[in-house]
Amino acid sequence: DADVTQTPRNRITKTGKRIMLECSQTKGHDRMYWYRQDPGLGLRLIYYSFDVKDINKGEISDGYSVSRQAQAKFSLSLESAIPNQTALYFCATSDPGLAGITGELFFGEGSRLTVL
Amino acid sequence: QKEVEQNSGPLSVPEGAIASLNCTYSDRGSQSFFWYRQYSGKSPELIMFIYSNGDKEDGRFTAQLNKASQYVSLLIRDSQPSDSATYLCAVGLTGRRALTFGSGTRLQVQP
């Protein structure tokens, strides 16, 4: 089983629908992230969380919300999906790293979302 | 100026050649640098990380960091068709609590 699991892996929905992407991990990491990937734009950070009570916006948080239900679970919601939210979404985890230096990310397999 | 910049490519090299991938970053105080490989439709996987100036070698891969010039590169020796993928540079920018990614360089290794 994957250490970082995302569900669903693929989803097609319509404009205006609410969508939740879920992420769970067995790596025991406190830090969890949601990134979005669009062709030619690399990975862009949506939200991140360093523990259950610590939620932070990334560079493209508008139109998204998150919930950290437990150390191992971090969900991303689109309250009212729009077509330009069509993308590949990745959940990732990390440990604290050395002396505050941002450490390696471990990625889930991705959730491909299409908004019609 | 983007915070982490990569040439989008494609970079095309013949099998057996050395592929050189480059990445520049804007924040001089950045401390951690990562190279990820990503096959189409798959998740990124870590190839190398480097924290100190100089070279770091791991098998066919060498990461090179020059903090004074604010660039990090990845050399792939004896390139194989299986190395054909997009290579993402990621940087731990000062004051940022998450890695910042470049847009990636697509590498094509021609048999």
Side-chain angles (χ1 to χ4, degrees):
Chain A
D1 288 342
D3 293 328
V4 183
T5 303
Q6 293 182 230
T7 56
R9 296 289 313 283
N10 288 282
R11 182 71 182 268
I12 300 173
T13 191
K14 294 182 178 180
T15 297
K17 295 291 187 182
R18 184 179 187 273
I19 293 297
M20 178 180 286
L21 305 180
E22 298 184 320
C23 177
S24 62
Q25 54 112 346
T26 58
K27 297 193 73 66
H29 290 160
D30 288 326
R31 301 182 176 191
M32 299 188 73
Y33 310 79
W34 277 103
Y35 283 89
R36 165 179 173 162
Q37 187 172 40
D38 299 275
L41 294 179
L43 289 159
R44 294 183 292 165
L45 183 65
I46 306 173
Y47 270 96
Y48 63 98
S49 169
F50 279 16
D51 66 43
V52 174
K53 296 182 180 180
D54 177 70
I55 303 290
N56 303 276
K57 293 182 178 180
E59 58 184 302
I60 55 162
S61 60
D62 287 348
Y64 301 95
S65 63
V66 291
S67 173
R68 185 80 183 267
Q69 301 95 324
Q71 188 224 22
K73 296 184 182 293
F74 192 36
S75 299
L76 176 72
S77 293
L78 289 68
E79 296 300 327
S80 180
I82 56 177
N84 76 1
Q85 291 178 313
T86 293
L88 183 57
Y89 291 84
F90 286 104
C91 175
T93 73
S94 74
D95 65 25
L98 300 174
I101 295 175
T102 310
E104 173 191 356
L105 293 175
F106 297 85
F107 287 89
E109 295 176 308
S111 295
R112 184 169 296 281
L113 176 65
T114 302
V115 184
L116 301 177
Chain B
Q1 180 188 9
K2 292 183 180 179
E3 294 174 309
V4 181
E5 291 205 65
Q6 297 181 254
N7 188 316
S8 61
L11 173 65
S12 184
V13 300
E15 184 175 356
I18 295 174
S20 177
L21 304 160
N22 299 310
C23 172
T24 59
Y25 58 95
S26 61
D27 177 20
R28 186 174 291 275
S30 301
Q31 298 187 66
S32 56
F33 307 85
F34 302 82
W35 283 100
Y36 284 84
R37 178 176 63 198
Q38 185 179 28
Y39 294 111
S40 181
K42 303 296 186 182
S43 59
E45 54 178 329
L46 183 69
I47 299 295
M48 300 272 306
F49 65 88
I50 187 166
Y51 293 163
S52 302
N53 269 333
D55 295 357
K56 180 181 179 182
E57 187 174 320
D58 183 1
R60 295 187 297 113
F61 299 96
T62 298
Q64 299 176 317
L65 176 60
N66 184 322
K67 289 188 175 182
S69 299
Q70 294 174 232
Y71 81 79
V72 56
S73 61
L74 179 70
L75 301 179
I76 306 175
R77 289 181 299 280
D78 189 24
S79 295
Q80 301 297 309
S82 58
D83 294 325
S84 297
T86 296
Y87 289 79
L88 300 169
C89 172
V91 178
L93 300 175
T94 304
R96 299 286 181 87
R97 300 168 73 194
L99 294 181
T100 300
F101 285 80
S103 57
T105 298
R106 188 158 63 94
L107 173 66
Q108 295 177 338
V109 181
Q110 306 295 333

